[in-house]
Amino acid sequence: MVSASYASQGVRSIDEHDRIFLRLASNARLPARGLPESAVARCAHELSVMDSNNFLENVGVGEREGRVFSALVRSRVYHMTHGIGRSGDVVAEQPKACGSSAMARLANACAKDAMRIAGMASIGYTFVMPLATGMTLTMVLMAMRASWGNAKERDVVIWCRLDQKTCVKAATCAGLELVVVEPVISGDELITDVHAIEREIARVGERLVCVVTSTSCFAPRACDDVVAVAKLCEKTNTGHVINNAYGVQSRVICKKISKAWTIGRVDAVVQSTDKNFLVPVGGAVVCCGKRKEDVAQAVATSYPGRASASASLDLFITMLSMGEDNWVRLLDQREDAYDYMASELAKVAAEEGERMLCTPGNPISMAMTLSCAKKIGAPPTMFGSMLFSRCVSGTRVVAPGETKTVGGITFQGFGASHSAYPETYFTAAAALGVTRADIDRFTTVLRKTFKDFKKKARTPTAASEEAESAERDESVNNLIAALVDIDVKI
Amino acid sequence: MVSASYASQGVRSIDEHDRIFLRLASNARLPARGLPESAVARCAHELSVMDSNNFLENVGVGEREGRVFSALVRSRVYHMTHGIGRSGDVVAEQPKACGSSAMARLANACAKDAMRIAGMASIGYTFVMPLATGMTLTMVLMAMRASWGNAKERDVVIWCRLDQKTCVKAATCAGLELVVVEPVISGDELITDVHAIEREIARVGERLVCVVTSTSCFAPRACDDVVAVAKLCEKTNTGHVINNAYGVQSRVICKKISKAWTIGRVDAVVQSTDKNFLVPVGGAVVCCGKRKEDVAQAVATSYPGRASASASLDLFITMLSMGEDNWVRLLDQREDAYDYMASELAKVAAEEGERMLCTPGNPISMAMTLSCAKKIGAPPTMFGSMLFSRCVSGTRVVAPGETKTVGGITFQGFGASHSAYPETYFTAAAALGVTRADIDRFTTVLRKTFKDFKKKARTPTAASEEAESAERDESVNNLIAALVDIDVKI
Amino acid sequence: MVSASYASQGVRSIDEHDRIFLRLASNARLPARGLPESAVARCAHELSVMDSNNFLENVGVGEREGRVFSALVRSRVYHMTHGIGRSGDVVAEQPKACGSSAMARLANACAKDAMRIAGMASIGYTFVMPLATGMTLTMVLMAMRASWGNAKERDVVIWCRLDQKTCVKAATCAGLELVVVEPVISGDELITDVHAIEREIARVGERLVCVVTSTSCFAPRACDDVVAVAKLCEKTNTGHVINNAYGVQSRVICKKISKAWTIGRVDAVVQSTDKNFLVPVGGAVVCCGKRKEDVAQAVATSYPGRASASASLDLFITMLSMGEDNWVRLLDQREDAYDYMASELAKVAAEEGERMLCTPGNPISMAMTLSCAKKIGAPPTMFGSMLFSRCVSGTRVVAPGETKTVGGITFQGFGASHSAYPETYFTAAAALGVTRADIDRFTTVLRKTFKDFKKKARTPTAASEEAESAERDESVNNLIAALVDIDVKI
Amino acid sequence: MVSASYASQGVRSIDEHDRIFLRLASNARLPARGLPESAVARCAHELSVMDSNNFLENVGVGEREGRVFSALVRSRVYHMTHGIGRSGDVVAEQPKACGSSAMARLANACAKDAMRIAGMASIGYTFVMPLATGMTLTMVLMAMRASWGNAKERDVVIWCRLDQKTCVKAATCAGLELVVVEPVISGDELITDVHAIEREIARVGERLVCVVTSTSCFAPRACDDVVAVAKLCEKTNTGHVINNAYGVQSRVICKKISKAWTIGRVDAVVQSTDKNFLVPVGGAVVCCGKRKEDVAQAVATSYPGRASASASLDLFITMLSMGEDNWVRLLDQREDAYDYMASELAKVAAEEGERMLCTPGNPISMAMTLSCAKKIGAPPTMFGSMLFSRCVSGTRVVAPGETKTVGGITFQGFGASHSAYPETYFTAAAALGVTRADIDRFTTVLRKTFKDFKKKARTPTAASEEAESAERDESVNNLIAALVDIDVKI
């Protein structure tokens, strides 16, 4: 017999778990302490039971009833199969999925709270888009355009140059033209050319949809001066969208954004869920300040149809598991990691006769010169490949002089975010989740790579790599061949 | 000691499982027989090991390294955290995620093969969009527009009326105007007005982006005459996009589409993954015939940035689990269910003094008149609510005379896809996965609901429902209140 | 906003899911219909929340606090980490684990109900042992022995011969001696020699612990005549334990057992959970009739300490998922499969010049002669190996004349359960879960194997197998070698 | 197209993952660094593919084919459904399950290595029993008994008193008599009475199976002097079994055991998997020194039949996830936690007018006097209940004078492991996995509880608790009632 006193304590625990959900719904806050998996999983199961496909007596005779063939798939989505949103409003309640709808809303609330904690004061309308950053930026630009009375005539975006293809594609996909404003070199750093923006605003006139600034980027480009641009946009009645891709993880950037929307004009800020909140790729958060919420709201309601619940579900699970305590700890650790990486890389630079570029305006990424490449006559990108094949991912080698055409626009010095940046360098980032141990392993590999790079330049070695592939088992070669070949047939 | 003969048989099994992958990659076909979960899960794990975040020795110092905070999230995505696609091409290989990239490609290949098996002959370029149908349609319309030399001037879409908000939003979100062509009444059925389309093509002229037809819809609207429209578009050099939302499940519809792209012009066909392949909401398949593949290809390469791997992963798991044998069986069972539902509903109709609308052009949805509503003076929608509260989901009650404005366009008789359809009716669908047992439970509830509906109309009963809510526990009311209230705070 | 009507329907669903648990607890019955995974998983999560290791505020300072290192392990046990039972009573409540305790009890209740449904009328005390059948039998024999006043002197078990090592080991592990009573040949069948048992009871006298009969076994041995033995034991005040390893799946056997404990003496019946209820190996159910429950109860309370919750959890999940409807369907299908297998094998036998042994007393297993082996001078076991290497598992080839010593006892004609059975034969079983498709594949392989067997006997082929192993990749050979070698080091 | 260089790096990763398994099999060592879940899960899937139930072409026509009804169950056991062991040997290979067999062996190898790392030098035969500690001890005692020529006459065990019911039941379940040797009081501590053991060995003579000592226990009982007893047993040709329930986590205890089996006689050592390796309850490890391995081996081969793979699987997953690095870190942290707990509790004791018992011979558990209970005239156990209801689990309050009969033996002063221990006290343990934060929360609650305990003793409060239950929702009371009631029906 289960004794009444133990049973009563067990039932009290159920009750406390029920209260997690009630507290979340009524406070719209992250839990103070991260919850154990058992509590998080229970919460997800509880919500899924409220979706009609999980009603015990449901008979579905519509064209979409949330039926899922595979048990593996059902279990991986916690039986929430109806997605989120409804005909033309991604934040609208999904009638067949009350639980999924509530879950998506709680994910929005938690994301907003996490951003507030990270330093975004006076944050207004905030929600999770079931799209990665680039596509979300496209949606924001389309909503921004539609917000103007003369939407049809508005087809230009002024964009502070940042050499990532996605940013360019985000605009061209929306059918917009880009006017590129190049940053100016200040010491080692590339900073926003506010005057040039002002000139272009005047020049483009009534065709202008908005200015797009970026906060998080590869050094030596700095975070854009979003405060100055916001003031400029306020003054000139110009739209202003901030691409804050992975900036939530930096309190400095969050503060700048808050200041921008408090004393100037910001229509919408877009950030990735994966880089800022450590979830799989696939979502973005759109937010804005309390002073101006119409464009952010329009993005939500312009979305055609339903969407995958995955981005919201990943974020929901993560926010509950993380809690405010782990979130704050992660933010602290990242700042510590930045300082540690900077000082450790400076040591390597000194040893190798290189130097760290001085980029105080970029709180996440840093860059070291790679001047040895020129001296020894080796292609700088070889240095990057060598790091990659030694299992270091994420560095980026940039040499002057590359020209590339993206979305119809030709960029001189592509990669550097500037047409004539003088240095050859490589970058590394102290991003959320990186540890001191990671940095130690990185610098170890880096030292070895410098050595091999300098040596390799003196000896022809292509032969050795061919040999390597010849040595492989046939089965391995078959697999590689199969992988390389997949899409020929489709 | 493990004996060599058993070990050798065990290793042979590993080998056979490895061959699943090789076979998939080289044949680009569904497995002949659905695979057991153990084999499917192993395949997913094998692929994820090829993603850089799962390399045993990886050190990530980039801004995006696929780090995931929650073990629950990591496991639900099979550790594939990098998403799919890369800067501006959703079918491009993701350099940090060779496994995810291969997985996405195999999902494309399997989807294409499944559609071929379902009856789409001469199918050309096919891929999975990580977006639900509505948003995918938006992307297709934008790519369609961009395909014209004078893209800027092209801002009109001719659309065969279908009363779902998503369709309208898909166009307005893309910044396009809709020209609505209403179907004509033929017997009970609503069929495509090809002549009206021809007139509108001529009228709109150079501003036209394309004609949008739909194949799957609520009865009494029939599948559009996509063959006639395709011939017309070929003749007039007009774009043609088919919204085939849940039409893959019908061999009749697949055959019509094949014929359309074989003898006429079809630029792209869009279909939902959830309704056709029994996965959670969140993906769509874009395909086309072999004769004209440029627009479908342009959709893939215009996508800005990376995307969630969820839609591809769900489809990949499902296609491997399903195999050709279960897929064919499901298609067969659906056809059988259609016939069974039609005959069972006809019996109920006869008993209740109603009749089935005669809609031979719609192979999935069917409709029964609800003429009793008028006779007894009850609001027809009450019938739908009663079914819903009896756990029947998916029926849709339509009464003449409703007017609604969607995306700026006012529709008379909204819901009926026609401004003056004479009947009041409700619909039900024999969609993929519905069983004879479901249909039996449906008709049982239906008979009871007819009885209660006719009775209820004679007695005021609002009181009983209030009482019901009063009776609920306080805890239940708290939960409902919390749910209703969530988004007030965010 | 989540609307109140949808929220209220969602909450109603939660309520209905809560009622599953209440209904289970108060009815102690299988659900009438199998529950969907979402409901079953929720039930498990709900129970686990009642275990102290999942209390949100728990601080553990004992020596056992249910801490689990691996998230993979935690999730696979649904966070129920405390096991079941407590110091010396495996059915006692585990104070730190109210949820696990309730779960284990519900598993007991469901197992009992399932056995009642399968035909065990007047079933009494029933519970799940966290041990497979053999070890459970050992525990039962020890409790049986301890139930006698002169337990120390009692050290003999009379056992109706059944040639499986586990049965012998079950007794010897308990420190008991076996008196083997061989069955008698009746036609093709081996049936219980009740007279011999009676003689041995008299002979062994006060040293006797009990008689052990078996119901499920390989043909041509029949189900023991448990009714006659039960009457005999009643009359002679002798203990009687029935090894019903996989007999629950046969209604005929269940009826015999019911009759035995209704009109005679049965102290305990032991059955495997895996073979009868389609769960992984690891549990057994001990039951008895209502007339005599003391021994079964003593088994539960003699268990020293806690135990793994796995067997109970697997059974709990399975019983809820299965429900009465699927359980009955499985029992029906098995009976159908038996008839189908018998008739299909008879066809093969006729073709090959063999015959089916006539064994009406065995409702699960059947046997076909393999007289060709002698004729062609091939070792009969080669036929079994050939089937195994063709991926047919579970057949068993028996030839006269083998002698084997197990647990110190020497058996003539080991394998046949008789010292002088005249035929060479192989067996196959129509066990729970086997399908007509399985049987078709089996007979196809069987025909081919007969052909190859007859051919092979004429040609020396060892060479081909060596060649096969030489052909394998080196990596494969490494793996096999590693597997074979594992335990040398430990 | 997947590029060859990325594909080749992906395939290299597969290869490295394959090598995990090969390295495990050939080194029989824990991985140096804990493996990520993705690698561990892949390893489990890879092994399961080698089980016959997962062969793609398998047809099962035996009585046990590893069929599992529920997809939830299949996935939670990684599709390894055949269990481990075979007829009468739990470490024997399971013919139908080569993967499970290899997995079980690797678990054995890892457990042995972990124990070596923890300090067990010269460790010999080691394997995982699929049974919790108590039942494993029963099996060891039975094998120990059987190892004597005159096994039948041997039916006595000499046991150094340790007040846990399981220890007593372990012997009585095996049909053995216990001769209890009480420890002697030395300062605060209870230590082994080696002389009394020697006397009893002489007295019991030929009926003696073995001496059982215990290493891990509640303070103030110390770890038994296993070295002295081992020497005594060697000298007197007496069996010696060590119950090392949760002693692996203490290097001091491991060293003592090593010394014991190196310079004296130890037949087998039993330890729990859950408490030492942080897995769910359900397994035990049996080991011995290299000098004498026959009894430990006999335990493995006396096991009747197959067994659940759960204990091995949990351990396998955990050992791979943990690696040597985390294992060493956990051992270090536990030692640190012991010191921290001791010093923090000493502070509380000083504040409350109590003192810590001085127990240098117990490296895990510690005790604080509870002399205030007597002074204020409150029942000491109330203190324990108050801690439990404040979510502190694991403390144990012991007061002199309790008498209890277990397994037919009456113990004076039950709980204290001594018939006349003078103090009232409570214990707490610094067990593996406890953190400084746990200890801080514990001392906070403890201080509060002391305060309330002293207050409560002065005021009658039963009333308040009744009120509490009256306040609860009816639904809660229903649930409690249902839980309490479950087994009445079964």
Side-chain angles (χ1 to χ4, degrees), chain A residues 352-364:
Chain A
E352 301 292 340
E354 306 287 352
R355 67 182 186 85
M356 298 301 291
L357 297 180
C358 176
T359 54
N362 190 322
I364 297 169

Side-chain angles (χ1 to χ4, degrees), chain C residues 40 67 81 113 121 125 154 171 179 228 233 242 249 251 348 396 422 439 459 484:
Chain C
V40 176
R67 290 185 191 104
T81 61
D113 191 43
Y125 193 76
R154 304 244 174 197
V179 168
C233 289
I242 301 178
Q249 63 192 289
R251 282 153 172 151
V348 178
R396 199 187 191 216
I439 295 167
T459 53
V484 168

Side-chain angles (χ1 to χ4, degrees), chain C residues 151-391:
Chain C
K152 290 220 166 174
E153 284 78 56
R154 304 244 174 197
D155 61 354
V156 171
V157 161
I158 294 174
W159 173 67
C160 299
R161 179 171 172 184
L162 167 55
D163 288 2
Q164 282 186 300
K165 290 186 201 163
T166 299
C167 308
V168 179
K169 283 280 183 91
T172 56
C173 174
L176 303 172
E177 272 175 41
L178 274 187
V179 168
V180 180
V181 173
E182 195 156 274
V184 291
I185 303 182
S186 160
D188 284 335
E189 208 165 28
L190 296 168
I191 63 170
T192 319
D193 188 343
V194 182
H195 294 297
I197 296 172
E198 189 160 18
R199 280 193 305 274
E200 293 296 340
I201 288 173
R203 193 180 63 79
V204 175
E206 283 297 290
R207 286 181 62 200
L208 186 59
V209 173
C210 63
V211 178
V212 176
T213 52
S214 297
T215 55
S216 52
C217 54
F218 297 110
R221 190 190 187 284
C223 171
D224 271 326
D225 187 346
V226 291
V227 176
V229 175
K231 282 198 280 190
L232 175 61
C233 289
E234 178 103 337
K235 193 179 72 179
T236 56
N237 189 27
T238 301
H240 182 201
V241 168
I242 301 178
N243 178 2
N244 186 35
Y246 48 98
V248 181
Q249 63 192 289
S250 162
R251 282 153 172 151
V252 171
I253 292 178
C254 289
K255 290 223 162 58
K256 284 188 183 169
I257 290 172
S258 310
K259 192 165 174 201
W261 68 38
T262 303
I263 69 173
R265 173 163 176 176
V266 176
D267 292 273
V269 185
V270 174
Q271 34 263 315
S272 138
T273 53
D274 58 298
K275 300 185 202 89
N276 292 300
F277 300 119
L278 305 178
V279 294
V281 166
V285 181
V286 174
C287 72
C288 55
K290 278 186 183 155
R291 281 182 57 208
K292 186 164 193 314
E293 298 184 308
D294 58 327
V295 172
Q297 283 164 352
V299 175
T301 55
S302 70
Y303 192 96
R306 273 180 305 281
S308 168
S310 272
S312 295
L313 181 55
D314 285 341
L315 199 62
F316 175 76
I317 292 173
T318 301
M319 294 280 97
L320 263 61
S321 301
M322 197 181 274
E324 183 165 350
D325 58 346
N326 288 305
W327 174 234
V328 169
R329 181 178 54 71
L330 279 165
L331 293 173
D332 289 344
Q333 284 178 350
R334 197 203 66 79
E335 290 178 8
D336 171 73
Y338 178 88
D339 295 342
Y340 185 68
M341 184 185 272
S343 82
E344 291 301 303
L345 286 186
K347 287 179 202 165
V348 178
E351 292 162 22
E352 302 291 341
E354 307 288 352
R355 66 181 186 88
M356 297 303 289
L357 297 179
C358 175
T359 54
N362 190 321
I364 299 170
S365 173
M366 57 193 76
M368 186 193 294
T369 58
L370 195 62
S371 52
C372 64
K374 200 174 180 181
K375 281 177 217 149
I376 61 179
T381 53
M382 193 174 89
F383 191 78
S385 306
M386 286 171 74
L387 282 170
F388 188 64
S389 72
R390 281 159 173 80
C391 283

Side-chain angles (χ1 to χ4, degrees), chain D residues 12 84 158 354 415 457 486:
Chain D
R12 199 172 79 187
I84 57 168
I158 294 175
E354 306 288 353
I486 292 173

Side-chain angles (χ1 to χ4, degrees), chain A residues 61 65 76 88 152 155 169 393, chain B residues 88 152 155 169 314 393 429:
Chain A
V61 291
E65 294 294 349
R76 85 173 204 90
K152 291 220 167 174
D155 61 354
K169 282 282 185 89
S393 59
Chain B
K152 291 221 166 172
D155 61 354
K169 282 282 184 91
D314 286 341
S393 59

Side-chain angles (χ1 to χ4, degrees), chain D residues 136-406:
Chain D
T136 299
L137 212 45
T138 299
M139 296 295 286
V140 167
L141 294 177
M142 294 200 291
M144 185 82 234
R145 180 188 200 176
S147 74
W148 296 105
N150 62 340
K152 290 221 165 171
E153 284 78 54
R154 305 245 173 195
D155 61 354
V156 171
V157 161
I158 294 175
W159 173 67
C160 298
R161 178 171 173 185
L162 167 54
D163 288 3
Q164 282 185 300
K165 289 185 202 163
T166 299
C167 308
V168 179
K169 284 280 184 90
T172 55
C173 172
L176 302 172
E177 273 176 39
L178 274 187
V179 168
V180 180
V181 173
E182 195 156 273
V184 291
I185 302 183
S186 159
D188 285 336
E189 208 164 27
L190 296 169
I191 63 171
T192 318
D193 189 343
V194 183
H195 293 296
I197 296 172
E198 190 161 16
R199 279 192 304 275
E200 293 295 342
I201 288 173
R203 193 180 63 77
V204 176
E206 284 296 291
R207 288 183 59 202
L208 186 59
V209 173
C210 63
V211 179
V212 175
T213 52
S214 297
T215 55
S216 52
C217 54
F218 297 112
R221 190 191 187 286
C223 170
D224 271 326
D225 188 348
V226 290
V227 176
V229 175
K231 282 198 281 190
L232 176 60
C233 289
E234 176 103 337
K235 194 179 72 181
T236 57
N237 189 26
T238 301
H240 181 199
V241 168
I242 301 178
N243 177 2
N244 185 34
Y246 48 99
V248 182
Q249 65 191 288
S250 161
R251 282 153 172 152
V252 172
I253 293 177
C254 289
K255 289 223 162 60
K256 284 187 184 173
I257 291 171
S258 309
K259 194 169 172 195
W261 69 37
T262 304
I263 68 174
R265 173 162 175 177
V266 176
D267 291 273
V269 186
V270 174
Q271 34 264 314
S272 137
T273 52
D274 58 299
K275 299 183 203 93
N276 293 300
F277 300 119
L278 305 178
V279 294
V281 167
V285 180
V286 174
C287 72
C288 56
K290 278 185 184 157
R291 280 183 56 208
K292 188 167 192 309
E293 298 184 307
D294 59 326
V295 173
Q297 283 164 352
V299 175
T301 54
S302 69
Y303 193 97
R306 274 181 304 280
S308 168
S310 273
S312 295
L313 181 55
D314 285 341
L315 200 62
F316 175 75
I317 292 173
T318 301
M319 294 282 99
L320 263 60
S321 301
M322 197 181 271
E324 182 165 350
D325 58 345
N326 288 304
W327 174 233
V328 169
R329 183 178 54 72
L330 280 165
L331 294 173
D332 289 344
Q333 284 178 351
R334 197 204 66 78
E335 290 177 9
D336 171 73
Y338 178 88
D339 294 342
Y340 186 69
M341 184 185 272
S343 82
E344 292 301 302
L345 286 185
K347 288 179 200 164
V348 178
E351 292 162 21
E352 301 292 341
E354 306 288 353
R355 67 182 186 87
M356 297 302 289
L357 297 180
C358 177
T359 54
N362 190 320
I364 298 170
S365 173
M366 56 193 76
M368 188 193 292
T369 59
L370 196 63
S371 52
C372 63
K374 198 173 181 181
K375 283 179 212 145
I376 60 178
T381 53
M382 192 173 89
F383 191 79
S385 307
M386 287 171 73
L387 282 171
F388 188 63
S389 73
R390 281 160 172 80
C391 283
V392 169
S393 58
T395 64
R396 198 185 190 218
V397 174
V398 178
E402 219 183 319
T403 297
K404 192 159 214 160
T405 301
V406 180

Side-chain angles (χ1 to χ4, degrees), chain B residues 219-286:
Chain B
R221 189 189 187 285
C223 169
D224 271 326
D225 187 348
V226 290
V227 177
V229 174
K231 282 198 278 190
L232 175 60
C233 288
E234 177 102 338
K235 192 179 74 179
T236 56
N237 188 27
T238 301
H240 181 201
V241 168
I242 301 179
N243 178 2
N244 185 35
Y246 47 100
V248 181
Q249 64 191 287
S250 161
R251 282 153 172 151
V252 172
I253 292 177
C254 288
K255 289 223 162 59
K256 283 188 184 171
I257 291 172
S258 310
K259 192 167 175 197
W261 69 35
T262 303
I263 68 174
R265 172 163 177 175
V266 176
D267 292 90
V269 185
V270 174
Q271 35 263 314
S272 138
T273 53
D274 59 299
K275 300 185 203 89
N276 292 300
F277 300 117
L278 305 177
V279 293
V281 166
V285 181
V286 175

Side-chain angles (χ1 to χ4, degrees), chain C residues 115-127:
Chain C
M115 287 158 78
R116 184 191 58 76
I117 293 166
M120 290 199 185
S122 304
I123 186 168
Y125 193 76
T126 302
F127 70 101

